Coordinates of all heavy atoms in Angstrom, one line a residue:
H30 N 134.6 218.9 35.1 CA 134.7 220.0 36.0 C 134.4 219.4 37.4 O 135.0 219.9 38.4 CB 133.7 221.1 35.6 CG 133.5 222.1 36.7 ND1 134.5 223.0 37.1 CD2 132.4 222.4 37.5 CE1 134.1 223.8 38.1 NE2 132.8 223.5 38.3
K31 N 133.4 218.5 37.5 CA 133.0 218.0 38.8 C 133.9 216.8 39.1 O 133.5 215.6 39.0 CB 131.5 217.6 38.8 CG 130.6 218.9 38.7 CD 129.2 218.5 38.8 CE 128.3 219.8 38.8 NZ 126.9 219.5 38.9
K44 N 137.1 226.5 52.8 CA 137.0 227.8 52.3 C 137.4 227.9 50.9 O 136.7 228.6 50.1 CB 137.9 228.8 53.1 CG 137.9 230.2 52.7 CD 138.7 231.1 53.6 CE 140.2 231.0 53.4 NZ 140.9 232.0 54.2
N48 N 142.9 223.0 42.6 CA 143.2 221.7 42.0 C 144.4 221.8 41.0 O 144.2 222.5 40.0 CB 142.0 221.1 41.3 CG 142.3 219.7 40.8 OD1 143.3 219.1 41.0 ND2 141.3 219.2 40.0
M55 N 153.5 212.5 37.0 CA 154.3 211.5 37.6 C 155.0 212.0 38.8 O 155.3 213.2 38.9 CB 155.2 210.8 36.6 CG 154.6 210.1 35.5 SD 155.9 209.2 34.5 CE 156.6 210.5 33.6
G58 N 158.9 212.2 36.9 CA 159.2 213.0 35.8 C 159.6 214.4 36.2 O 159.5 214.8 37.4
K69 N 158.1 222.9 42.9 CA 159.0 224.1 42.6 C 158.2 225.4 42.5 O 158.6 226.5 43.0 CB 159.8 223.8 41.4 CG 160.7 224.9 41.0 CD 161.5 224.6 39.7 CE 162.4 225.7 39.3 NZ 163.2 225.4 38.0
N86 N 151.1 206.6 36.7 CA 151.9 206.9 35.4 C 153.3 206.5 35.6 O 154.0 206.2 34.6 CB 151.7 208.3 35.0 CG 150.3 208.6 34.6 OD1 149.7 207.9 33.8 ND2 149.7 209.7 35.1
L95 N 162.4 201.8 40.9 CA 161.5 202.1 42.0 C 162.3 202.9 43.1 O 161.7 203.8 43.7 CB 161.1 200.8 42.6 CG 159.9 200.8 43.6 CD1 158.7 201.6 43.1 CD2 159.4 199.4 44.0
P123 N 147.6 205.4 44.3 CA 146.9 205.2 43.1 C 145.7 204.2 43.3 O 145.8 203.3 44.1 CB 147.9 204.7 42.1 CG 149.2 205.1 42.7 CD 149.1 205.1 44.2
F127 N 143.1 198.4 35.5 CA 142.7 197.1 34.8 C 143.1 197.2 33.4 O 142.2 197.3 32.5 CB 141.2 196.9 35.0 CG 140.7 196.8 36.4 CD1 140.5 197.9 37.2 CD2 140.6 195.6 37.1 CE1 140.1 197.9 38.5 CE2 140.2 195.5 38.4 CZ 140.0 196.6 39.1
Q135 N 150.0 192.3 40.3 CA 151.3 191.6 40.4 C 152.1 191.6 39.1 O 153.1 191.0 39.0 CB 151.1 190.2 40.9 CG 150.4 190.1 42.2 CD 151.3 190.6 43.4 OE1 152.5 190.7 43.2 NE2 150.6 191.0 44.5
I151 N 155.6 203.5 47.9 CA 155.1 204.9 48.0 C 154.6 205.1 49.4 O 154.8 206.1 50.1 CB 154.1 205.2 46.9 CG1 154.7 205.3 45.6 CG2 153.4 206.6 47.2 CD1 153.7 205.5 44.4
V154 N 157.2 205.5 52.0 CA 157.8 206.9 52.0 C 157.0 207.9 52.8 O 157.5 208.6 53.7 CB 158.1 207.4 50.6 CG1 158.5 208.8 50.6 CG2 159.1 206.5 49.9
D176 N 134.8 192.9 39.8 CA 133.4 192.8 39.6 C 132.7 194.1 39.2 O 131.6 194.1 38.7 CB 132.7 192.2 40.8 CG 133.1 190.8 41.1 OD1 133.3 190.0 40.2 OD2 133.4 190.5 42.3
D184 N 136.6 204.5 31.1 CA 137.3 203.9 30.0 C 137.5 202.4 30.3 O 138.3 201.7 29.6 CB 138.7 204.5 29.8 CG 139.5 204.6 31.0 OD1 139.2 204.0 32.1 OD2 140.6 205.3 31.0
R186 N 139.2 201.0 32.4 CA 140.7 200.7 32.6 C 141.2 201.4 33.8 O 141.7 200.7 34.7 CB 141.5 201.0 31.4 CG 143.0 200.7 31.5 CD 143.7 201.1 30.2 NE 143.8 202.6 30.0 CZ 144.7 203.3 30.5 NH1 145.7 202.8 31.2 NH2 144.7 204.6 30.2
F204 N 138.1 209.9 55.1 CA 139.5 209.5 55.5 C 140.1 210.7 56.3 O 140.6 210.6 57.4 CB 140.3 209.1 54.4 CG 141.7 208.8 54.7 CD1 142.1 207.6 55.3 CD2 142.7 209.8 54.5 CE1 143.4 207.3 55.6 CE2 144.1 209.5 54.8 CZ 144.4 208.3 55.4

Side-chain angles (χ1 to χ4, degrees):
H30 170 65
K31 293 184 178 180
K44 178 172 76 173
N48 183 7
M55 294 189 284
K69 181 179 179 180
N86 292 312
L95 195 49
F127 299 85
Q135 299 295 337
I151 292 175
V154 173
D176 296 319
D184 56 7
R186 181 179 68 91
F204 177 79

